[in-house]
Amino acid sequence: MSAGPRARGGCDCGGVGYEVTGPLRDVWDCHCPRCRRITGHHMAATAAAPADVVLTADGTLRWYEPAPGVEYGFCGTCGSTLFWRTSAQPDKLVIAAGTLDGPTGLRTAKAWWCAEAGDYYDRPAGVVEHDYEG
């Protein structure tokens, strides 16, 4: 007998829904300029293996490719940012943590592009921070 999904989530209007059957990574924040613009603040995201993410509704799911091999998944109706993926890491689907139904049991563990964080945002103490290393 299956234990059921580890987590469920979706967009605000219900046009996109998903279940995660496998493990989720702790939350990482991304303050890069693109994530800030797409989310309106910063991307706070977990990740799972794509095979462990089952779409239960996808009628409004759209993908935006701002650069070759990089895509953001969002709802075409309500605009909710849901996913991020890159062809450089096909074994990972990044999931916007705010789209998960709670409680998640996750914690924020890392933050990236910290020098780009909005000047209005006080970053939490204890989170491992990284700046761009490209």
Side-chain angles (χ1 to χ4, degrees), residues 27-112:
V27 174
W28 294 3
D29 295 345
C30 182
H31 297 276
C32 79
R34 185 171 291 135
C35 282
R36 287 184 57 205
R37 291 208 183 269
I38 286 173
T39 65
H41 182 41
H42 67 267
M43 175 73 83
T46 182
D52 290 342
V53 180
V54 177
L55 293 172
T56 57
D58 65 356
T60 60
L61 180 60
R62 304 291 180 266
W63 290 93
Y64 167 59
E65 186 176 10
V70 175
E71 296 179 299
Y72 290 84
F74 66 97
C75 175
T77 299
C78 68
S80 297
T81 299
L82 294 146
F83 307 114
W84 179 88
R85 65 186 179 192
T86 177
S87 59
Q89 296 176 322
D91 60 332
K92 177 172 65 174
L93 179 65
V94 174
I95 302 167
T99 67
L100 289 165
D101 297 340
T104 67
L106 301 174
R107 65 180 185 85
T108 301
K110 294 184 181 184
W112 296 91

